Amino acid sequence: MTPIKALETHFGKLHDPRVERTREHKLIDIIAIAICAVICGAEGWTDVENFGNRKYAWLKTFLELPNGIPSHDTFGRIFALLDPQEFQSSFVAWVQMVNRITSGQVISLDGKCLLGSGDSVLGKRAIYMVSAWAAENHLVLGQRKVDNKSNEITAIPELLKILAITGCIVTIDAIGTQTQIAKTIIEGGADYLLSVKANQGHLFEDIEKLFDYDARQDFKDAPYDYAKTINKGHGRIEIRECWCTSETEYLHYLRGYEKWEKLQSIVKVVGTRIVDGQETSQTRYYISSLKSDAKRLLGASRQHWGIENELHWVLDVALNEDASRIRKDHAPENLAVLRHIALNLLKQEKTAKGGIHAKQLQAAWDEDYLLKVLATTN
């Protein structure tokens, strides 16, 4: 399948926001050029136009380009007008078609602020995007913008409802530890591991009190499952310990226990890091719909941080997301989706060595390699 055929399959049915008389360039051509350009490191619409002009002969081998390469103003105008939810839905459909999410896989949800999308002079707040990350596949599964007058709590259920999460374990930081979100996850056929912090009030207090009481007794005769991992490297030692229980008496001790859909275990994870003889420690608490299994729950809690290390960090460092000053209408949201498309494609291409930025450079230099990256859309 040629690159354009693959892209048409996934993005060819998008509604064109332009009136008929202004359509000098095909919408699928515009989307294809933008995807290719972002794969190769483009950070804004002028970059995209410049990429198109430099690669015109190559692009012409699979795109129609009836009136040449669109101007940067055209790219900016169309992505500002393009319906972001429709664009995101096409993205989600593409991911579900070309990648199989296996049962038991961890899917992490977390939000990220696009710092450069705000404009204090115009009184426009920076947008916030909630993304879903498949830890094992190293893929962005979908995203939703947080409404300006709301927070992640409203965007998370919307995102969950469009994802195929059956059989997976959904992990969310404390902002998502809400009874309705837990119910949405269960209704989607998945399990949850939700972080509990002090802002959950009674829930945090009760879980902390239960674990603290038994910890003072060194957990002797307490109904806990326990697991421990030790990792060494780069001059540091990282120790992670997990205690969890599904003991009915413990669960019923939690005030409001009955409000949490299928709550089956409470979890304590202690992470200790030793660097140059200096030791630091952090304790985290969770609730889960999974039965007590310390090894499994410890692994899921650790995998959650992949969304920070492999997605958000890479978006900032390799794709320079926070420095972007694209602000008009839907353009920041749609450009975020273009970055997610590029990141997925670059991560799925396995023949080249190096990180994401190294792959971007290779794609920019070598058209055959860029075709390999695009081939992962098939």
Side-chain angles (χ1 to χ4, degrees):
M1 186 183 292
T2 65
I4 190 58
K5 290 296 182 183
L7 291 170
E8 281 180 335
T9 298
H10 308 304
F11 300 100
K13 295 181 181 179
L14 286 171
H15 170 70
D16 194 326
R18 300 168 294 176
V19 296
E20 188 71 37
R21 60 183 171 78
T22 64
R23 297 179 186 179
E24 295 183 10
H25 307 279
K26 294 185 65 177
L27 181 62
I28 192 63
D29 286 359
I30 290 168
I31 291 171
I33 295 168
I35 290 173
C36 290
V38 175
I39 288 171
C40 294
E43 297 177 6
W45 308 129
T46 299
D47 291 345
V48 174
E49 179 189 356
N50 289 338
F51 170 86
N53 288 329
R54 292 296 182 93
K55 298 288 185 180
Y56 175 79
W58 177 76
L59 291 166
K60 188 67 176 173
T61 63
F62 59 91
L63 300 180
E64 290 188 22
L65 304 177
N67 291 292
I69 300 297
S71 69
H72 63 276
D73 285 334
T74 299
F75 281 108
R77 183 172 63 256
I78 289 173
F79 280 102
L81 292 172
L82 191 65
D83 185 302
Q85 290 205 2
E86 189 181 355
F87 193 31
Q88 291 168 30
S89 295
S90 296
F91 170 88
V92 170
W94 161 59
V95 174
Q96 291 176 354
M97 183 179 294
V98 300
N99 291 277
R100 183 170 176 268
I101 304 301
T102 56
S103 180
Q105 182 167 171
V106 171
I107 296 176
S108 304
L109 271 65
D110 197 16
K112 182 181 184 298
C113 181
L114 277 61
L115 295 177
S117 62
D119 190 329
S120 58
V121 175
L122 297 177
K124 181 181 179 182
R125 294 169 56 188
I127 70 170
Y128 215 84
M129 298 283 287
V130 174
S131 301
W133 175 257
E136 185 177 322
N137 292 45
H138 307 284
L139 281 171
V140 185
L141 300 180
Q143 59 289 111
R144 270 289 183 266
K145 177 190 170 187
V146 176
D147 186 84
N148 288 335
K149 297 181 180 179
S150 186
N151 57 31
E152 292 177 56
I153 295 172
T154 58
I156 288 171
E158 292 178 12
L159 179 53
L160 285 168
K161 288 174 182 177
I162 65 171
L163 298 176
I165 61 174
T166 302
C168 296
I169 303 169
V170 177
T171 65
I172 313 176
D173 202 6
I175 188 70
T177 305
Q178 307 289 329
T179 54
Q180 187 56 49
I181 289 175
K183 183 178 180 182
T184 301
I185 293 169
I186 296 300
E187 289 174 347
D191 283 295
Y192 59 79
L193 178 67
L194 305 177
S195 178
V196 179
K197 294 182 181 177
N199 62 341
Q200 266 81 36
H202 292 317
L203 182 62
F204 177 85
E205 294 171 11
D206 294 345
I207 294 174
E208 184 180 46
K209 188 177 293 184
L210 285 167
F211 280 107
D212 282 355
Y213 177 83
D214 286 323
R216 288 195 295 271
Q217 317 301 319
D218 292 326
F219 295 103
K220 289 181 180 178
D221 303 319
Y224 291 102
D225 191 29
Y226 173 75
K228 179 179 181 180
T229 62
I230 301 176
N231 297 97
K232 300 179 180 179
H234 305 289
R236 65 173 179 256
I237 301 173
E238 293 185 353
I239 304 167
R240 297 178 181 86
E241 296 178 276
C242 176
W243 295 264
C244 57
T245 182
S246 293
E247 181 67 31
T248 302
E249 182 181 350
Y250 282 61
L251 297 179
H252 286 181
Y253 176 79
L254 306 178
R255 283 169 283 184
Y257 157 77
E258 69 284 350
K259 297 178 182 178
W260 295 95
E261 195 83 8
K262 288 190 67 176
L263 172 56
Q264 295 202 76
S265 62
I266 56 174
V267 186
K268 175 181 180 179
V269 174
V270 177
T272 302
R273 176 176 290 193
I274 304 170
V275 181
D276 297 328
Q278 298 295 313
E279 181 176 311
T280 57
S281 182
Q282 186 173 24
T283 300
R284 294 186 176 92
Y285 298 104
Y286 303 86
I287 56 173
S288 180
S289 60
L290 293 165
K291 279 285 190 181
S292 178
D293 182 336
K295 183 178 179 181
R296 187 182 190 190
L297 291 165
L298 179 59
S301 69
R302 184 180 181 186
Q303 284 182 292
H304 174 79
W305 298 107
I307 195 168
E308 289 285 350
N309 301 329
E310 295 190 62
L311 176 57
H312 295 165
W313 187 85
V314 173
L315 287 171
D316 285 341
V317 174
L319 279 72
N320 215 16
E321 183 169 74
D322 276 351
S324 175
R325 294 296 181 267
I326 303 296
R327 295 167 174 167
K328 187 172 176 56
D329 299 327
H330 300 310
E333 195 174 346
N334 286 326
L335 182 55
V337 177
L338 286 173
R339 293 190 197 99
H340 287 167
I341 293 170
L343 185 61
N344 276 1
L345 293 173
L346 289 163
K347 278 187 171 288
Q348 295 310 293
E349 204 300 299
K350 305 295 187 183
T351 64
K353 295 181 179 180
I356 294 299
H357 183 60
K359 288 183 176 182
Q360 285 183 293
L361 292 175
Q362 291 184 66
W365 295 332
D366 185 345
E367 291 164 2
D368 289 338
Y369 179 69
L370 179 51
L371 281 173
K372 275 188 179 181
V373 174
L374 290 172
T376 60
T377 60
N378 295 329

